[in-house]
Amino acid sequence: MTVAEPRALFIDHAGVLGGAELSLLDVAGAFGARAEVVLLADGPFRAALEARGITVSVLPLGALQQVKKSTRLPSPAALADTIRVARRVAKHVNTHTVLCANSQKAFVVALAAGLIARRPVVWYLRDILAPPHFSRTNITAAVTLANLRAARIIANSHATADAFVAAGGSKALVRVVHNGIDPAPFDAIDDRAAAAAREQLGIPAHDYLVAMFGRFHEWKGQQVLLDALAGLPDVHALIVGAPLFGEEAFESALKAQASRLGLDGRVHFLGFRSDVPLLMRAADVVVHASVYPEPFGRVIVEGMLAGRPVIAARAGGVIEIVDDGDTGVLVPPGDASALARAIGALRSDPAGAAAMAERGRIHARRSFSLQAMVRGVSDALAGLE
Ligand code: UDP
């Protein structure tokens, strides 16, 4: 370690394990003693950080936690809460050279904490700042604050960076650092383990198995996969994930949709799982079906690392991961018929599907390495005033 290497206090508003949190887990894990994490909510993310030996503190938000990205203006109570928590975060700053916010709420808290503790603040932007997820007011406020006070923006894709700039964000602030994913857990699973997992799930040996991974939310497109399955007899699907941010009604609607379409024996809702590499290797195809532009899409790179052909929705950061027809298949977002056709085409050409999966695996290892991500983040956090 050289003296120029940054010492970072990372701040995340979530206690659950979403993609942003899993990515930060890898970054903070690689930073080791150079990183400390403050979470603004308790949950399994804390245990996961602690298991990696990372120092973590939980400073829960009150009223600010209730503010939704789609709401127009935060209440006075939320603003007071921001100051209260920021003061507590500032007390955690000691030898840290920089504060790095891993989410939008964390960015607001980090800005105030950075002013108090006199440290530069970086926003690790992992969202495409655009409607319908974010209200216009929210976008304008976030971009204005970023232009005025952020020392840098780390964007997880060019799509994320472009949306920030299109919303008025300063291009000079932005560095793009793609997610990197460790291939080791995928390499560790052999065909026997994958076959055993498949058997345990009760999937008949000759049936085709597609798998989709992600938190339950309408924009992730689980409903599109269910519609596609209706026209694909003998195809089973694993739907892996859970409602992480209060989308229980959507989960119930999905299960009702599966029953209505007569898919009950073929669709397997597995809930949130921590054995994603095994489940990907147990499947024949990994499907991503987001109906809105995905900022990055870790699950696509993971499907490639698992050596499975991937089908993904053509929008946002996904285009930076998949070269259509070469390293995977792209379909229009929200188009169940196109998705069904893509699944059918891979099924009818196992040799072509295997060759594509192998090209995807090589591409993912080369282009989305953990080392490149950690170096990119470290460089982006270094040398700031
Ligand atoms: N994931 C998981 N268990 C699940 C479902 C998903 O560990 O049951 C992981 C998945 O492997 C991926 C992450 O959650 O690493 C989702 O990241 P992605 O970028 O695809 O979506 P995000 O959650 O950031 O919207």
Side-chain angles (χ1 to χ4, degrees):
M1 189 176 98
T2 68
V3 281
E5 296 217 271
R7 299 180 61 82
L9 183 65
F10 292 101
I11 306 159
D12 195 313
H13 82 286
V16 292
L17 286 168
E21 289 68 38
L22 289 166
S23 175
L24 178 57
L25 187 60
D26 284 337
V27 172
F31 268 52
R34 292 198 286 131
E36 194 177 327
V37 178
V38 167
L39 299 184
L40 306 179
D42 204 353
F45 187 25
R46 174 170 59 84
L49 287 160
E50 284 170 350
R52 297 251 189 130
I54 300 157
T55 308
V56 46
S57 317
V58 179
L59 306 175
L61 287 178
L64 182 62
Q65 199 65 276
Q66 309 315 319
V67 176
K68 296 264 176 240
K69 295 187 268 198
S70 50
T71 23
R72 300 200 56 192
L73 280 176
S75 63
L79 292 174
D81 192 40
T82 305
I83 305 298
R84 176 185 66 81
V85 178
R87 283 205 178 106
R88 297 188 64 197
V89 172
K91 287 196 181 130
H92 276 261
V93 180
N94 47 61
T95 59
H96 306 106
T97 54
V98 60
L99 306 189
C100 181
N102 202 47
S103 61
Q104 196 191 46
K105 275 180 194 161
F107 175 56
V108 176
V109 170
L111 280 182
L115 276 174
I116 300 166
R118 295 167 193 264
R119 292 291 191 285
V121 174
V122 172
W123 184 5
Y124 201 147
L125 179 57
R126 300 172 183 274
D127 287 309
I128 289 186
L129 292 177
H133 301 310
F134 294 87
S135 70
R136 289 270 170 219
T137 314
N138 177 301
I139 296 170
T140 305
V143 167
T144 306
L145 285 174
N147 285 348
L148 284 172
R149 301 281 335 159
R152 191 154 280 155
I153 304 292
I154 304 174
N156 67 349
S157 67
H158 293 284
T160 297
D162 291 349
F164 174 75
V165 174
S170 158
K171 197 172 181 172
L173 286 175
V174 182
R175 295 249 183 120
V176 173
V177 180
H178 283 135
N179 275 218
I181 292 167
D182 185 2
F186 297 87
D187 295 346
I189 291 154
D190 58 23
D191 289 344
R192 234 180 37 197
R198 194 179 158 115
E199 201 182 318
Q200 222 174 29
L201 290 164
I203 312 294
H206 298 295
D207 282 355
Y208 205 63
L209 180 62
V210 303
M212 185 169 170
F213 301 80
R215 59 202 162 81
F216 278 30
H217 196 291
E218 210 178 344
W219 77 272
K220 289 290 181 187
Q222 285 94 349
Q223 72 280 17
V224 181
L225 176 58
L226 293 184
D227 280 340
L229 286 170
L232 293 166
D234 301 336
V235 175
H236 286 245
L238 306 180
I239 307 237
V240 186
L244 294 186
F245 299 102
E247 299 86 0
E248 282 75 11
F250 176 66
E251 180 180 22
S252 307
L254 271 183
K255 290 183 174 166
Q257 182 188 356
S259 299
R260 204 172 51 245
L261 293 170
L263 302 174
D264 278 341
R266 296 199 279 131
V267 174
H268 311 265
F269 289 97
L270 303 189
F272 186 88
R273 299 278 295 233
S274 49
D275 53 355
V276 167
L278 175 67
L279 295 171
M280 285 187 169
R281 298 238 18 189
D284 294 297
V285 179
V286 171
V287 169
H288 163 271
S290 290
V291 297
Y292 298 120
E294 185 77 53
F296 181 77
R298 290 169 58 83
V299 291
I300 300 165
V301 176
E302 290 169 348
M304 290 173 165
L305 290 174
R308 292 295 170 259
V310 294
I311 302 173
R314 184 190 283 116
V318 172
I319 295 160
E320 297 160 44
I321 304 173
V322 178
D323 188 359
D324 189 22
D326 183 27
T327 52
V329 179
L330 294 179
V331 294
D335 187 339
S337 314
L339 178 57
R341 280 196 300 278
I343 294 170
L346 288 174
R347 186 182 191 183
S348 63
D349 179 16
M356 175 181 279
E358 182 55 13
R359 289 191 296 270
R361 199 180 66 79
I362 293 166
H363 168 61
R365 292 177 85 97
R366 250 191 224 142
S367 306
F368 302 103
S369 78
L370 205 53
Q371 292 80 353
M373 171 177 71
V374 173
R375 180 43 55 203
V377 173
S378 193
D379 287 351
L381 296 180
L384 301 170
E385 293 300 316

